[in-house]
Amino acid sequence: MTEQLAIYRRYRATTFGELRGQDPIAKTLRRAVADGRLGHGLLFVGPRGTGKTSTARIVAKALNCLAPAEGEPCGTCRSCIAITEGATFDVVESNAATSNRIDDVREDLIPLITNPPTDLKRKVLILDEVHRFTNDAWDALLKWLEEPPPGIVFIFCTTDPSKIRPAVLSRLQRFDFRPIARAEIAAKLEAILATEKRVAEPAAIELLARLADGGMRDAESMLDQLVAFCGDHITEENVLDVFGFTSREKVAALATALLGHDTPAALALIQREAESGRELSQLLGELIGCLRALLVAKLDPSADGDGIPADLWQPLLKAAADYP
């Protein structure tokens, strides 16, 4: 039976034009490739699921494409297909979460670095979670960053650049990936659902985009789970049930009770949520977000409540105004 790939793998960006929410980075990299000015060492920094590894693969294709268009890979030539299918030894991915010792560098990475490309124009070494490298591993790798062999490009990806040595950082071109905006996440989820011939309530898509917290991969993974659970039609209630989240209405009710010093009502609501299997840490996070929105509204009366529906937002504003 043919393996069914996860949604985030099936709909991974394959060109700079398909990247969501990282337009400045995509534009800069595409132009650098087109002008032949891309450095031999790149550092991609940002939260998980924001496109760092996907971008690294796109760069690998752009550098090796046989018919590029202004720095954009064609996606259909022999080189692009080989990279997409993982069928070339010249584009190598390694994860420092599991291979981070000096022996890993000496035995696995240095032979790859020192051997010239075999079937592509450029060899690309993509190293993920590089903040996990030991100091000895960096020592072994630093020489090759200072004097790289011809035809190789290093792409380092990390969520925590503070753990990378300054001597390494100074030799890399750094690109900072931002959390992806909710609107961008929602738009891609809608496009995926249309392609998959499935339907989701707008409130369900908005909720997924909010819960993803800027990570496209997280949103796609949640959507994959919902499709398996719900089938062709996804509702907001499905999202709440599958992931154990609390509805905006109940979060607003809890905030109102706390602002009104109604401790019994607040405790009763928390108890009901716990008994129904809701994730209380998520409830706390939603409550903090709600209270933060109220603080912002104190400073800026035009604030819209960070997506809280108007019928919930106005009573919350009143309760906050009455709070001693």
Side-chain angles (χ1 to χ4, degrees), residues 257-279:
L258 291 173
L259 291 169
H261 299 283
D262 191 348
T263 303
L267 290 175
L269 191 151
I270 294 171
Q271 182 65 26
R272 288 194 298 271
E273 292 300 286
E275 290 175 350
S276 64
R278 300 304 191 196
E279 180 58 56

Side-chain angles (χ1 to χ4, degrees), residues 59-287:
V59 169
K61 288 197 292 184
L63 290 171
N64 288 290
C65 181
L66 301 178
E70 297 183 349
E72 188 77 273
C74 70
T76 57
C77 70
R78 172 179 55 82
S79 297
C80 285
I81 292 173
I83 295 171
T84 298
E85 295 180 350
T88 174
F89 292 109
D90 290 333
V91 176
V92 180
E93 295 186 35
S94 180
N95 195 316
T98 54
S99 301
N100 52 33
R101 302 169 304 154
I102 187 171
D103 289 343
D104 296 318
V105 173
R106 287 174 173 169
E107 296 172 10
D108 299 331
L109 298 184
I110 290 180
L112 293 171
I113 294 169
T114 54
N115 290 325
T118 55
D119 58 344
L120 299 180
K121 294 184 290 183
R122 305 284 292 275
K123 178 172 284 190
V124 180
L125 183 57
I126 302 170
L127 300 173
D128 208 355
E129 303 292 334
V130 292
H131 57 275
R132 303 282 293 274
F133 270 130
T134 64
N135 285 333
D136 288 342
W138 279 123
D139 286 339
L141 196 58
L142 191 57
K143 172 184 182 297
W144 304 104
L145 286 176
E146 293 174 337
E147 301 175 8
I152 188 168
V153 173
F154 299 90
I155 304 180
F156 299 97
C157 303
T158 182
T159 56
D160 190 359
S162 67
K163 294 182 179 178
I164 301 176
R165 292 160 57 178
V168 176
L169 294 175
S170 66
R171 290 165 172 79
L172 304 174
Q173 294 179 351
R174 174 168 170 165
F175 296 85
D176 287 272
F177 287 67
R178 304 170 297 181
I180 302 172
R182 291 179 190 172
E184 291 276 7
I185 293 175
K188 185 169 184 183
L189 294 181
E190 289 172 348
I192 291 172
L193 287 165
T195 303
E196 297 285 319
K197 295 181 170 54
R198 300 178 189 274
V199 177
E201 292 179 353
I205 293 175
E206 189 277 334
L207 179 56
L208 280 176
R210 177 164 56 85
L211 295 174
D213 195 26
M216 185 69 79
R217 187 176 65 236
D218 287 353
E220 292 168 339
S221 295
M222 287 190 288
L223 179 62
D224 212 350
Q225 192 170 341
L226 284 165
V227 167
F229 176 78
C230 307
D232 294 338
H233 185 75
I234 300 170
T235 67
E236 182 181 18
E237 192 63 30
N238 293 148
V239 180
L240 296 173
D241 288 340
V242 169
F243 299 109
F245 297 136
T246 299
S247 69
R248 278 290 178 93
E249 288 80 6
K250 292 179 181 177
V251 173
L254 177 58
T256 301
L258 291 173
L259 291 169
H261 299 283
D262 191 348
T263 303
L267 290 175
L269 191 151
I270 294 171
Q271 182 65 26
R272 288 194 298 271
E273 292 300 286
E275 290 175 350
S276 64
R278 300 304 191 196
E279 180 58 56
L280 294 186
S281 62
Q282 180 66 30
L283 171 59
L284 177 61
E286 291 287 309
L287 176 63

Side-chain angles (χ1 to χ4, degrees), residues 38-49:
L38 194 71
H40 71 273
L42 310 178
L43 177 65
F44 292 169
V45 176
R48 71 178 191 275

